[in-house]
Amino acid sequence: YTRLFVTLTYYWCPSAILSARVSNFTATNGGDHISLGWESDHGNQSEIYEIEVSTDGIHFTKVGNRIDAASSISGKFEYEFPVDKGTQKNYFFRIKKTNQAGKVFYTDVRSIAINLQKLTSGKPYPNPTVNGINLQFAKHNNGKYLVEMISSTGKKIFSREYKANGPTSINIEFRGKTPPGIYFLKVKDLDTFLEETSKLQVL
């Protein structure tokens, strides 16, 4: 007969994002399309690039055909993502890179807002911040909003609904210590389902 005291320790690691060694990844609004461009170290001709798109910053799907690194002599790549006339959306893009060994890497996320009405009066402040922000809604009647903060890897850090009676300024305090980095602050009007996204830096 023996009495034992056992302690179990669990370690968790984010599931996907590794440095893709892709530089100058840009997304630009071209009116009827979104222009994507990136550069890569041209040392490995067997690498494969795939473009992924999302409208919520969390769930991504592949668009277009895969692109072989060997298809560009200069190491520069471009792609035009078509946008329908009258579209009112946020688009989030990232590049998936697969090397010769089959290991997958992802870039940081780039976002573009297309024809969206202003839901807030200006950008969140302070920005950069440490543990919270102030946000002012622009709607002049009663409105219901969902405010979310999403990391560059697609992880939802903060989510809460707010009611605004006319133009209202609210203070949002993050729960616990938020790791330093670049985040996306997404505001959705729950009546019209329009969305607005801005970048937020946490120190």
Side-chain angles (χ1 to χ4, degrees):
Y1 174 79
T2 303
R3 176 174 293 177
L4 298 175
F5 296 93
V6 179
T7 300
L8 298 179
T9 303
Y10 294 88
Y11 294 93
W12 176 86
C13 181
S15 58
I17 306 301
L18 298 174
S19 171
R21 298 183 181 88
V22 172
S23 61
N24 298 327
F25 176 34
T26 59
T28 306
N29 186 355
D32 61 350
H33 68 276
I34 298 174
S35 297
L36 304 175
W38 69 95
E39 300 177 18
S40 184
D41 182 358
H42 213 52
N44 194 334
Q45 297 289 304
S46 62
E47 293 173 345
I48 297 171
Y49 304 103
E50 294 173 278
I51 300 168
E52 296 186 345
V53 63
S54 169
T55 55
D56 61 8
I58 300 175
H59 304 97
F60 285 82
T61 57
K62 176 186 171 183
V63 294
N65 298 320
R66 72 179 195 176
I67 302 172
D68 295 330
S71 65
S72 173
I73 297 176
S74 64
K76 296 182 179 180
F77 301 87
E78 294 181 352
Y79 179 84
E80 289 190 357
F81 178 82
V83 177
D84 293 333
K85 185 177 181 180
T87 295
Q88 292 184 326
K89 285 184 180 179
N90 275 311
Y91 287 103
F92 301 83
F93 296 94
R94 68 185 184 187
I95 304 297
K96 174 183 176 182
K97 185 182 83 171
T98 306
N99 66 13
Q100 187 175 15
K103 185 175 290 187
V104 173
F105 304 84
Y106 291 90
T107 64
D108 289 338
V109 175
R110 299 289 182 264
S111 67
I112 289 287
I114 302 296
N115 298 328
L116 292 183
Q117 300 176 11
K118 288 293 184 180
L119 302 181
T120 60
S121 299
K123 297 181 179 180
Y125 64 93
N127 188 6
T129 184
V130 175
N131 57 9
I133 57 169
N134 286 292
L135 189 66
Q136 183 169 6
F137 298 115
K139 205 170 186 179
H140 285 269
N141 54 358
N142 294 338
K144 293 187 296 183
Y145 301 89
L146 175 65
V147 179
E148 296 180 320
M149 188 168 73
I150 301 169
S151 72
S152 60
T153 64
K155 183 180 179 181
K156 191 179 297 184
I157 304 297
F158 175 89
S159 179
R160 185 176 175 181
E161 291 186 13
Y162 293 90
K163 286 186 178 181
N165 185 12
T168 303
S169 179
I170 61 171
N171 181 261
I172 300 174
E173 293 185 359
F174 307 144
R175 299 169 185 171
K177 173 60 178 173
T178 302
I182 300 296
Y183 295 84
F184 296 100
L185 187 73
K186 183 168 70 174
V187 180
K188 176 188 284 188
D189 188 324
L190 296 178
D191 296 320
T192 64
F193 298 104
L194 294 177
E195 297 181 358
E196 181 177 298
T197 302
S198 56
K199 283 188 179 181
L200 178 67
Q201 182 179 7
V202 176
L203 301 178

